[in-house]
Amino acid sequence: MDALPALEKQPRDTYTAFAVGGRRFGYFWPRTHTVGLKQTLSEQQALVAERPDVFEEQYQSGGFGWVVVYLAGIELDELTELVFEAWRLTAPEDLIAEATDPARSARTRNSRTRNRRTQNSRTK
């Protein structure tokens, strides 16, 4: 998460809030091993419907749906993408242009790995 431009960590007694440009997009509650993340309403509904053991509807506000994510049930890559999306929904346009989409980076890494495997199998 530290790689996100202009990330603001706001530690509190029982949680840490995350913001960009003074606007919050996420929370981390260590005691419950959960995070809360801003998403679109449709993404909120899809996540909760697909995996109610991992995602829970937190609330809706300003046209966005917030989800609680149970960290024990999610892979790091997926969590990284959800955090990036929450940040992207909140960040000013100029910062969004500076950021690297982790999903795009993962696809590029996977593509490079596949290409190396293909090249290696051809040379054997």
Side-chain angles (χ1 to χ4, degrees), residues 89-104:
L89 290 170
T90 310
E93 289 295 323
D94 59 326
L95 288 178
I96 294 170
E98 292 177 29
T100 302
D101 181 344
R104 185 178 309 136

Side-chain angles (χ1 to χ4, degrees), residues 8-124:
E8 302 163 17
K9 290 183 184 179
Q10 303 166 339
R12 302 293 188 257
D13 288 340
T14 60
Y15 67 92
T16 300
F18 296 92
V20 60
R23 296 172 50 207
R24 291 186 179 169
F25 67 87
Y27 298 87
F28 170 58
W29 295 280
R31 186 180 60 77
T32 59
H33 304 283
T34 59
V35 296
L37 294 171
K38 181 179 190 178
Q39 296 294 303
T40 63
L41 290 172
S42 59
E43 185 68 11
Q44 177 200 47
Q45 293 166 358
L47 290 168
V48 172
E50 289 171 8
R51 295 179 19 224
D53 57 319
V54 177
F55 301 101
E56 174 183 313
E57 184 176 317
Q58 187 173 18
Y59 65 92
Q60 296 177 354
S61 176
F64 294 98
W66 287 71
V67 293
V68 173
V69 182
Y70 291 89
L71 296 175
I74 191 167
E75 296 290 326
L76 182 58
D77 286 351
E78 183 180 16
L79 179 61
T80 300
E81 288 179 34
L82 291 172
V83 168
F84 177 78
E85 183 62 17
W87 176 88
R88 190 187 66 74
L89 290 170
T90 310
E93 289 295 323
D94 59 326
L95 288 178
I96 294 170
E98 292 177 29
T100 302
D101 181 344
R104 185 178 309 136
S105 296
R107 284 191 299 272
T108 301
R109 278 192 311 273
N110 291 340
S111 176
R112 287 184 194 140
T113 301
R114 278 193 303 275
N115 288 341
R116 279 195 300 274
R117 285 185 196 143
T118 302
Q119 289 171 352
N120 289 342
S121 66
R122 288 181 187 157
T123 59
K124 289 182 180 181

